[in-house]
Amino acid sequence: MKPVFSIFAAFSILLWSGQSQLFAQRDSIATSSLDSIRISDQQFKTSDIDEIVISGTMKAVNRLESPVPVEVYSAAFFRKNPTPTIFDALQNVNGVRPQLNCNICNTGDIHINGLEGPYTMVLIDGMPIVSSLGTVYGLSGIPNAMVERIEIVKGPASSLYGSEAVGGLINIITRNPQQAPVFSADVMSTAWGEYNADVGFKIHAGDKASVLTGLNYFNYQNITDDNHDHFTDVTLQDRISVFQKWNFRRRENRLFSLAGRYVYEDRWGGDVRWNPSYRGGSEIYGESIYTGRAEIIGMYQLPVKDPVFFGFSFISHNQDSRYGDTSYIAHQNIAFGQVTWDKKYGKHDLLAGAALRYSFYEDNTAATAHEAEQTWLPGIFLQNEMDLASGHTLLLGARYDFHYHHGSVFTPRLAYKWSLNDTSILRFNAGTGFRVVNLFTEDHAALTGAREVIILNDLKPEKSYNVNLNFIRKIYLDTGSSLALEASAFYTYFTNRIVPDYENPQSIVYDNMNGHAVSKGLSLNADLNFARGLKLILGGTFMENETTVNGQRTQQMLTEKFSGTWAASYKIRPWNLTVDYTGNVFGPMRLPLAGELDPRPAMSPWWSLQNVQMTFSGFKNFEVYGGVKNLLNWTPGRHTPFLISRTEDPFNQQVEYGPGGQVIATPGNPYALTFDTAYMYAPNQGIRGFLGIRFRLDQ
C-alpha cells in the first residue's frame, strides 16, 4: 500500500503550494464538491451551469457561495460504474461506504466518515424520507431515471434537519419533469444472472402540470455458494419500484411539486436447500424478508409576497421477516411537515422554520409488546447568513426540538466562509447534533435471533459536537490541463454514545457508554482534467473512530482507518468510445468475533473492489456499455476459514453449555461457537461481467 500513501502525500504537498492560476471549465459529469469554472477572454468567472445546492443551508445557493461545503455527484458520475441501487452506487464516493450488516440477507447501511448508518439522514428532494427501517431497506428501488444528482454534507446538520443528521446527510435530488427526457431506458445484466431495468418517461397533463414516471425492476435468482458453506453467497431478490413526480404550473412561477414511490421486495438467503415451504420453520434455515414501502413527498410555495414554503412527507413501511424460526413483523409510519420562511434584509439572509415529525412503530418483539411506540417531535429553527465584508460570510443558526420522553434539545451551528482570492476558499463549520434511538429498527443483528438482545438501561439520546475545516483550491495549468483540489479536517465528540457490545458471543448488549467517543480525520479530493481527454477523480480519507471507557481507548467495530476511491475516464473521440476505471480501497477494521476460540481474524485485511467499463456512444439516442466488476475477484472468504459460524447447525441444536451458560468446546464444536451472521464487512460477490444498453429520447 506504499504507492497509495505516496500519491496522497504528494497530493497534500501540491494542495498547499502557492503557484497556480484558476482552473478552467470542469467536465459536467465529473462533479464533486468543487464548483464549475470557465475561462472567458482570460477573465475567470462562474459559469452558467454551476450547480445549485440546497442541502447545506436548506435554500438554493451556488456551491461557490455556500458557507457549508456540499459535495455534488451527478447521475452521469454514477454511470461510470452502473449499479442497480443507490446503496451500491455510493461505494465510489470518498468517505462514504455501504456497509453490509448481515452475511445472509445482505442488508446494510451507509457509513459517512466511519459513522454507522443511523447517524446518516437520507432525504429525497430535501424531505426526510429514508430513516429507521428505511435506513436498511429504503435505499433500494429508487429508479436511476429519476435521479438528477446526489448532494452529500458530512458532519452534523441537526440544527436544520433535526434528529438523525448527526454524521451527515445524503439528499437525493430528483429530476424536474419539465427538463427530463421524454423517454429513457437503461437495461443491464451480469454474468451472475442479475437483471436490472430502469425506465423513465414524462407526459404533460394539460397546460398546468408535467408528470415524470420512473420504473425499476431488479431480479436475481441464481443460488451461488462459491465459499462452499452450503449457504447462499448473495441474497436472492425480486424487487419492483414505481416513482412518479408531478410539477404544477402556478402564477408567478410559484413552486408546487408532489411525488410518490412504492417499492415491493422479496429477498431471501440461507441454506441452499431452502424454499418458501420452510419459511419460519426450524428444519432448513433461511432468512426471508417481504417489504412493502410507500412514500409521498411534496413542496408547496404559499401565495404570499415572501418566499414561504411548506414541505411534507409520509412513509408507510411494512415488513414481514423470518430469520430461521424467529419472526420479525413490523409496521412503521412517519409523517413530517415543515414550514420555512426566507427573508433578505440588507446584508442578512434569514431563514426561519418550524417542523413536526410523528412516528408510529409497532412490531412483534418485546419493544412494543404492551403498546405501539408513538412519538411527536416538534422543532423550530432560525438561521442568519451575513456578508461581513468582501469575501467573508458568516452563518449562525440554532434549532430547538422537544421530545416527549427526553425533553428539550438545543443544537446551535456556526459556519464561516473566507474567499482568500479568486482561486482559494476556506470554510469553517462547527455545530452540535443529536439522535433519538430506536435500535430495533436500525440494527439488523438484533433481529436475526442469533443473539439475545440486552438493554441495560433506559437509553438516552446521543449528542455530538463537531468542527470541520474545509479548503479548496483551483489550478489552471499552462498545458491546457486543469486541477481542482480539496482538503477537509473533521472532529466529532460524542456523549451518550450507544455502541453495541458483541464481546459475549450469545448476546448483544446496548447501553449509553460510560465515557465518550471521537471521530476525527482528514479527507482529500482531487479532480484532474487533462487536455487530451483523460479525467481523474481521486479521494482518500484518513480517520480514527474510537471509544474511551474508563480511560481505555478502543477502535470502533467495523470502521476502517483509511479509505480511498478513484475514477479514471478516457474518451477516444474518433471511436465514440469512453473507458472508465473505478475502484476503492479500504484499510483493516475490527470484526465481531463469536468467542475467544473463534479462528477467524479479528481484523480484516486491506481490500479493494475495482471495475472497468467501456461505453460506445456512436448510435443516435443509444449507448451500449459493458465491462467487468470486481476485477481482482476479491471476496472476504479468501482470508478466513469460514464467514458464517456453524452453518451446519443454524438452530444451535448441537451446542453444549456450561454451568454459567457459556458455550463449551466439544468434538463437534471445537471453537465453542454458536450460529452467527454478524462477521461481515464486504460483499461476497466475486468477478463478473456486465452488459447494458441505454436509450434516451429528448423530443
Side-chain angles (χ1 to χ4, degrees), residues 104 231 271 281-287 323-326 445 448-452 504-507 594 600 642 644-658 661-664 666 668-669 671-678:
I104 295 179
F231 270 49
D271 193 308
S282 58
E283 184 177 354
I284 302 294
Y285 187 91
E287 297 189 0
Y323 303 98
D325 56 1
T326 299
T448 62
R451 300 189 183 205
E452 180 186 2
N504 186 330
Q506 300 178 62
S507 65
R600 295 173 295 183
F642 53 86
I644 306 172
S645 64
R646 293 193 59 77
T647 56
E648 73 279 8
D649 183 25
F651 299 102
N652 295 322
Q653 295 175 343
Q654 307 301 321
V655 175
E656 296 186 19
Y657 301 90
Q662 74 278 11
V663 180
I664 61 175
T666 64
N669 186 12
Y671 304 120
L673 302 178
T674 58
F675 175 71
D676 188 65
T677 67

Side-chain angles (χ1 to χ4, degrees), residues 180-198:
V182 174
F183 180 83
S184 64
D186 190 342
V187 180
M188 181 183 74
S189 65
T190 73
W192 274 50
E194 300 163 291
Y195 301 96
N196 186 72
D198 205 82

Side-chain angles (χ1 to χ4, degrees), residues 284-561:
I284 302 294
Y285 187 91
E287 297 189 0
S288 172
I289 303 170
Y290 301 154
T291 302
R293 182 177 175 87
E295 304 166 346
I296 298 174
I297 59 176
M299 183 69 70
Y300 179 80
Q301 183 177 358
L302 274 62
V304 295
K305 181 179 179 180
D306 292 333
V308 180
F309 296 89
F310 173 62
F312 56 91
S313 64
F314 176 77
I315 308 168
S316 179
H317 185 108
N318 291 279
Q319 186 171 321
D320 183 348
S321 310
R322 302 293 187 275
Y323 303 98
D325 56 1
T326 299
S327 172
Y328 175 69
I329 301 173
H331 174 64
Q332 182 181 47
N333 290 332
I334 298 178
F336 177 83
Q338 178 173 273
V339 177
T340 58
W341 171 65
D342 188 5
K343 178 68 175 181
K344 291 186 177 181
Y345 181 75
K347 293 184 178 181
H348 299 266
D349 191 348
L350 300 174
L351 179 72
L356 177 64
R357 184 172 69 177
Y358 169 75
S359 300
F360 172 92
Y361 175 76
E362 185 176 30
D363 64 22
N364 64 328
T365 72
T368 58
H370 300 292
E371 61 177 336
E373 180 183 281
Q374 300 185 61
T375 305
W376 293 91
L377 188 61
I380 57 174
F381 55 90
L382 178 65
Q383 175 180 280
N384 183 14
E385 186 175 336
M386 300 166 281
D387 291 328
L388 301 179
S390 177
H392 295 267
T393 302
L394 177 66
L395 182 148
L396 299 175
R399 182 182 178 110
Y400 171 80
D401 291 89
F402 181 81
H403 191 277
Y404 81 103
H405 184 64
H406 302 297
S408 300
V409 182
F410 179 69
T411 49
R413 180 191 201 189
L414 178 148
Y416 170 70
K417 180 179 74 72
W418 178 18
S419 299
L420 289 87
N421 50 48
D422 291 338
T423 65
S424 304
I425 295 176
L426 181 68
R427 292 181 172 101
F428 173 79
N429 282 252
T432 63
F434 78 101
R435 186 174 77 94
V436 179
V437 178
N438 185 340
L439 60 89
F440 283 93
T441 66
E442 296 164 345
D443 195 332
H444 171 270
L447 308 176
T448 62
R451 300 189 183 205
E452 180 186 2
V453 175
I454 300 175
I455 304 174
L456 292 183
N457 296 293
D458 187 15
L459 299 178
K460 301 176 182 178
E462 299 180 338
K463 296 182 180 180
S464 68
Y465 306 86
N466 172 269
V467 293
N468 181 292
L469 187 65
N470 174 266
F471 179 77
I472 64 173
R473 188 176 187 89
K474 305 175 189 296
I475 300 172
Y476 173 69
L477 305 176
D478 293 336
T479 59
S481 302
S482 56
L483 177 62
L485 304 171
E486 178 180 15
S488 294
F490 57 90
Y491 181 92
T492 304
Y493 182 94
F494 289 92
T495 61
N496 293 339
R497 181 76 183 273
I498 299 173
V499 179
D501 182 357
Y502 292 89
E503 298 303 326
N504 186 330
Q506 300 178 62
S507 65
I508 307 175
V509 180
Y510 294 91
D511 194 10
N512 291 107
M513 63 182 302
N514 182 23
H516 65 272
V518 170
S519 172
K520 59 185 177 182
L522 176 67
S523 177
L524 306 171
N525 289 293
D527 287 9
L528 299 91
N529 224 334
F530 294 96
R532 296 186 178 273
L534 176 64
K535 299 174 179 60
L536 297 175
I537 302 175
L538 305 174
T541 300
F542 304 86
M543 58 186 169
E544 286 189 1
N545 288 269
E546 297 179 331
T547 59
T548 301
V549 178
N550 298 324
Q552 183 70 34
R553 293 194 306 173
T554 306
Q555 181 181 346
Q556 182 178 298
M557 196 80 72
L558 295 172
T559 300
E560 68 279 9
K561 289 191 174 183

Side-chain angles (χ1 to χ4, degrees), residues 103 192 223-234 270-273 633 635-638 640-649 684-685:
N103 230 322
W192 274 50
I223 296 177
T224 304
D225 180 26
D226 287 346
N227 58 12
H228 307 296
D229 62 359
H230 305 295
F231 270 49
T232 54
D233 292 342
V234 179
D271 193 308
V272 295
R273 300 169 296 171
N633 196 26
T635 58
R638 292 185 175 185
T640 181
F642 53 86
L643 290 173
I644 306 172
S645 64
R646 293 193 59 77
T647 56
E648 73 279 8
D649 183 25
N684 284 328
Q685 205 167 13

